[in-house]
Amino acid sequence: MLIEPSYPKSFASDNHAGIHPAVLQAITAANSGDAPAYGGDAWTTAFERQVRLVFGEQAMGFPVFNGAGANLLSLALPLGRYDSIICPETAHVACHETGAAERLLGVKLTTIATKDGKLRPADITERLHVLGVHHEVQPKVISISQVTELGTCYTPDEIAALADVAHGAGLKLHVDGARLANAAAYLGCDFRAITTDAGVDVFSFGGTKNGAMAAEAVILLDPGLSTAVPYLRRQSLQLASKMRFISAQLTALLTDDLWLANATHANAMAQRLVSGVADLAEVEIVYPVESNAVFAALPRDAVQTLKARYRFEYWDERAGLVRWMTAFDTTPEHVDDFVADVRKAVSG
């Protein structure tokens, strides 16, 4: 039975988008006959090979189900029982994963206030004085998001500077890469520039927000962390039995730069949205638009008018701040219709 959508195109999240046709085709192609379970299949082997081509020969890729699971597995690898994670206070691992790191890893999150969602080297060095002090949890991992939760992007140099501080103090650098593709598209660089070449140790590669369905990966660049991966992936409930269907999607995204086309389009639609409302005195764009996220402050009655027709979320309801997200399948017509309704809403 066909269920007709009750709303126009959603601007709430790129998670609301469907599956890219090429990714869906890859799933269908993998649905042929039997294949070994738990990653012993040709599709997972092809994905692992593609990871090495894209991220470098030392890179190891491990498909998982979702972004929170990818973060949890990535962070579990270097952490001990008395260690801590340094991250921005807006980090997904701190705000939107229901305390998974604290509950399941048993470690402390040291959160840092930032103006744009981005950590700086000074933020880290100020908190390293506790190293070796047995009364204090020990910083072990710096965790950043690329793209940040505020839609901003770290440059390769900014990531490299954090990696230098981390490695100089014996820490590891983790990247939550749920929207890594959008960052690379905005920065005009390849994946290696903001991961391998910048000194990242482990990161998640987000497929779901880039046109896949329940397909994420942990990419390990520090081979010294690899021993525990098979066991921790199983223990954290992120080992797929029919892994070929996850691997096939990720391979499709990493082949012929499909990830780049999807991310570039999503970013462009965000820029189109911003351009459409830029002249409105009632709409303030709060953070730089460097990805597919637009954070806007506008009158509460206008928000309520728009929310009666469109799906999007308050980011800070008290401040009238909302988040509008675009996706690989957002069309110019979707954006133009939304912009027209924004203009009507703020005009009263």
Side-chain angles (χ1 to χ4, degrees):
M1 181 178 67
L2 179 64
I3 301 175
E4 294 292 340
S6 57
Y7 282 79
K9 177 61 179 170
S10 174
F11 289 90
S13 174
D14 35 12
N15 283 327
H16 289 202
I19 307 171
H20 189 279
V23 175
L24 191 58
Q25 185 177 12
I27 297 173
T28 301
N31 191 34
S32 176
D34 293 346
Y38 302 113
D41 58 87
W43 291 268
T44 300
T45 298
F47 164 68
E48 292 167 349
R49 183 170 58 248
Q50 195 66 21
V51 164
R52 291 191 295 273
L53 286 173
V54 173
F55 295 102
E57 279 301 314
Q58 79 274 37
M60 292 175 278
F62 303 91
V64 296
F65 292 114
N66 55 50
N71 284 335
L72 196 70
L73 175 58
S74 300
L75 292 167
L77 299 175
L79 286 167
R81 293 290 298 275
Y82 48 80
D83 291 334
S84 67
I85 301 165
I86 299 174
C87 63
E89 66 178 4
T90 54
H92 204 270
V93 296
C95 297
H96 297 108
E97 295 181 1
T98 322
E102 294 98 331
R103 176 68 175 85
L104 300 176
L105 300 181
V107 299
K108 181 180 179 61
L109 294 181
T110 300
T111 60
I112 297 173
T114 68
K115 61 181 180 180
D116 56 2
K118 295 162 66 172
L119 293 179
R120 270 74 177 178
D123 296 324
I124 309 304
T125 56
E126 290 173 357
R127 287 157 177 82
L128 297 181
H129 64 280
V130 301
L131 287 172
V133 179
H134 69 266
H135 297 291
E136 305 280 353
V137 292
Q138 296 297 286
K140 189 62 179 181
V141 177
I142 300 169
S143 180
I144 63 174
S145 300
Q146 180 76 306
V147 174
T148 75
E149 280 69 28
L150 301 183
T152 53
C153 296
Y154 289 89
T155 66
D157 287 345
E158 288 173 330
I159 297 174
L162 290 172
D164 287 345
V165 171
H167 298 155
L171 280 62
K172 302 297 184 184
L173 179 60
H174 161 259
V175 175
D176 176 348
R179 295 185 177 93
L180 192 71
N182 299 90
Y186 170 77
L187 295 166
C189 66
D190 61 16
F191 277 139
R192 290 196 200 193
I194 51 176
T195 55
T196 313
D197 297 344
V200 172
D201 295 296
V202 61
F203 64 96
S204 62
F205 170 65
T208 307
K209 294 175 173 62
N210 192 234
M213 177 190 70
E216 311 282 317
V218 171
I219 310 294
L220 189 59
L221 298 174
D222 179 354
L225 299 175
S226 64
T227 303
V229 177
Y231 308 101
L232 289 176
R233 180 167 56 163
R234 182 56 157 155
Q235 193 178 71
S236 60
L237 311 182
Q238 289 295 316
L239 180 65
S241 56
K242 296 185 179 181
M243 194 180 293
R244 58 174 154 160
F245 297 108
I246 299 178
S247 300
Q249 296 180 67
L250 296 169
T251 303
L253 289 175
L254 292 174
T255 300
D256 297 329
D257 288 341
L258 178 59
W259 66 267
L260 178 59
N262 288 351
T264 299
H265 177 79
N267 290 0
M269 293 301 97
Q271 291 295 335
R272 188 182 186 97
L273 199 167
V274 170
S275 296
V277 300
D279 65 321
L280 296 175
E282 300 88 350
V283 178
E284 177 190 2
I285 304 302
V286 176
Y287 301 115
V289 180
E290 299 179 354
S291 59
N292 61 326
V294 178
F295 291 83
L298 60 162
R300 185 177 300 274
D301 57 348
V303 173
Q304 295 309 117
T305 297
L306 289 165
K307 285 179 73 68
R309 177 168 169 76
Y310 293 93
R311 293 191 187 276
F312 61 89
E313 304 298 336
Y314 270 112
W315 187 256
D316 183 345
E317 187 168 358
R318 290 172 299 178
L321 180 61
V322 300
R323 186 186 73 167
W324 297 327
M325 298 292 302
T326 53
F328 78 91
D329 62 350
T330 304
T331 67
E333 292 75 20
H334 290 145
V335 173
D336 293 347
D337 288 346
F338 183 63
V339 166
D341 284 338
V342 171
R343 300 183 75 87
K344 290 177 185 176
V346 299
S347 70

